[in-house]
Amino acid sequence: MKILFYAAKIYDKKSFGNALSEFPGIEVEYIDHELEPRTATLAKGYDAVCAFVSADVGAQTLEVLHDGGVKTVLMRCAGFNNVDVEKAKELGITVKRVPGYSPESVAELAMALALAVNRRLYKAYNKVRENDYTLTGLRGVNFFGKTAGIVGTGKIGAAMCRICRGFGMRVIAYDVYQNPALADFVEYVSMDELLAQSDLISLHCPLMDSTYHMINIETIKKMKDGVILVNTSRGALVDTNELIEGIRMEKFLGVGLDVYEEEAGNVFEDHSDDIMMHSVTARLLAFPNVMITSHQGFYTVEALAAIAETTLQNLMDAAEGKRTPNDVA
Ligand code: NAI
């Protein structure tokens, strides 16, 4: 079986190269291009394509893939908000994902962002490099004894709950389903209660119609003054313009984002020499209490190995017509 692997990076080739030794029936061809309607034509004759978070797996792309005889779309990520699931079903294309490769890799980054914005580590690092040993602008708060509000307590949210408990925080959560594994230390509350009580709010629910822009000026106004907001889930959970309004209202002690609405054109690209015409990201970065990373939650040795292995197993399962919990369509 042959996979056309889109937007391949060196680390993908390494982790998939290692995992392929366990799957002798699979061949992978790596290309730099992102999967989108124009590049989908390249997949003609392949059994499957492999795509990531910034691919456009909308109706048009799926039509082109279908015309080229592609039967399976392998998403090498957990989220699938960029896939037109109904269209895939209609065309009989199987879509599989990697739902839980290493929840701790994302949860640990979420805590790293929370700590970094709280103690302004990005500033502290640069100050000392410049021989400036003053503490101006670096004051933070203790996490011990504070309240962490976790939105979405699936695999990653649950890992974040455990990390916050380790810091001696009270942990409250909001989810449409309660996770029984967390019953001994997490208190489920309504979203409004979570917003009102939390000193740290971390988002771990998927992007869906019901969660789109769940953080907006109305929900921001319900938060405590001096709250820390972390988003490692999907950019569009937060309305960026209204977040900026909230930052200007001095609502936040800090904001840490591994994902943001504008990221599609940026993720894993080097724009350091480009003049950005309309960059809301640049506006966000002008604030001293905001730190942005570029979708690196999944980027640990353990997570990459698990993503490669599960993705290849997903193709084996698809070829055998096996339905598994990794099925999106
Ligand atoms: P999961 O499916 O295990 O958990 C998601 C949880 O969100 C579930 O418990 C679900 O009930 C809950 N949920 C659904 N609708 C909700 C709502 N309206 N309000 C509150 N909670 C709601 O997913 P997992 O593995 O924990 O991943 C969460 C998200 O993290 C993914 O959807 C993905 O967008 C993001 N992610 C980001 C990565 C990164 O590199 N930054 C890497 C991997 C995932």
Side-chain angles (χ1 to χ4, degrees):
M1 282 177 292
K2 280 173 68 180
I3 303 175
L4 186 60
F5 194 110
Y6 283 86
K9 303 288 178 207
I10 289 170
Y11 57 81
D12 290 317
K13 292 178 189 169
K14 210 167 171 186
S15 57
F16 276 78
N18 290 340
L20 272 168
S21 57
E22 303 292 319
F23 296 88
I26 301 180
E27 268 176 62
V28 180
E29 190 164 331
Y30 302 95
I31 57 170
D32 292 342
H33 302 293
E34 189 56 274
L35 175 60
E36 36 126 337
R38 272 180 320 138
T39 59
T41 49
L42 300 170
K44 191 172 179 181
Y46 286 80
D47 300 285
V49 294
C50 184
F52 195 55
V53 289
S54 39
D56 167 1
V57 199
Q60 223 188 322
T61 300
L62 288 165
E63 298 260 14
V64 178
L65 292 176
H66 179 255
D67 292 345
V70 174
K71 299 266 182 307
T72 308
V73 173
L74 301 164
M75 299 303 296
R76 54 180 189 277
C77 52
F80 54 95
N81 50 286
N82 50 341
V83 180
D84 187 331
V85 176
E86 287 316 307
K87 189 72 191 177
K89 285 182 184 163
E90 186 192 310
L91 295 170
I93 293 181
T94 302
V95 183
K96 289 183 185 270
R97 66 180 178 127
V98 188
Y101 42 87
S102 175
E104 284 73 20
S105 70
V106 184
E108 287 175 15
L109 182 76
M111 183 47 100
L113 282 169
L115 290 167
V117 295
N118 175 24
R119 307 302 286 264
R120 305 282 198 267
L121 294 184
Y122 42 92
K123 269 190 150 201
Y125 173 74
N126 283 318
K127 277 164 73 88
V128 173
R129 278 171 68 104
E130 296 290 326
N131 261 347
D132 172 1
Y133 304 99
T134 65
L135 298 180
T136 321
L138 302 184
R139 194 181 62 189
V141 296
N142 286 3
F143 281 178
F144 180 80
K146 296 281 169 29
T147 298
I150 309 302
V151 181
T153 51
K155 289 171 284 298
I156 297 171
M160 185 61 174
C161 287
R162 288 191 289 270
I163 291 171
C164 291
R165 178 177 58 163
F167 272 74
M169 303 183 85
R170 170 183 171 234
V171 186
I172 60 175
Y174 170 73
D175 196 316
V176 285
Y177 300 105
Q178 298 198 359
N179 184 340
L182 304 173
D184 58 333
F185 70 100
V186 172
E187 183 191 338
Y188 280 92
V189 296
S190 68
M191 187 65 184
D192 275 358
E193 286 170 314
L194 183 143
L195 294 169
Q197 293 178 26
S198 302
D199 301 289
L200 161 63
I201 297 176
S202 194
L203 306 179
H204 300 286
C205 58
L207 176 61
M208 301 178 294
D209 288 347
S210 59
T211 58
Y212 177 77
H213 283 183
M214 71 192 304
I215 302 299
N216 52 55
I217 197 64
E218 292 314 314
T219 48
I220 289 170
K221 281 180 184 162
K222 291 176 184 171
M223 295 177 189
K224 269 185 170 179
D225 288 341
V227 64
I228 291 174
L229 174 70
V230 172
N231 185 11
T232 55
S233 200
R234 282 292 178 270
L237 295 178
V238 178
D239 181 323
T240 314
N241 285 317
E242 298 194 1
L243 175 65
I244 289 171
E245 202 179 325
I247 294 169
R248 289 191 171 131
M249 284 160 48
E250 300 194 7
K251 196 50 143 168
F252 299 98
L253 173 59
V255 176
L257 306 172
D258 187 45
V259 291
Y260 52 97
E261 287 187 290
E262 234 179 20
E263 75 178 49
N266 292 354
V267 164
F268 314 143
E269 300 299 325
D270 180 1
H271 288 304
S272 54
D273 208 26
D274 296 347
I275 292 169
M276 309 299 270
M277 290 302 162
H278 309 281
S279 178
V280 183
T281 318
R283 258 163 73 205
L284 267 177
L285 284 170
F287 298 110
N289 55 347
V290 176
M291 182 174 182
I292 302 183
T293 52
S294 184
H295 212 126
Q296 66 177 74
F298 71 98
Y299 198 48
T300 65
V301 170
E302 293 80 359
L304 291 173
I307 289 170
E309 200 182 311
T310 308
T311 303
L312 297 175
Q313 186 57 49
N314 279 347
L315 179 57
M316 298 304 285
D317 292 342
E320 290 168 21
K322 219 191 263 175
R323 304 297 291 175
T324 72
N326 299 354
D327 288 345
V328 173

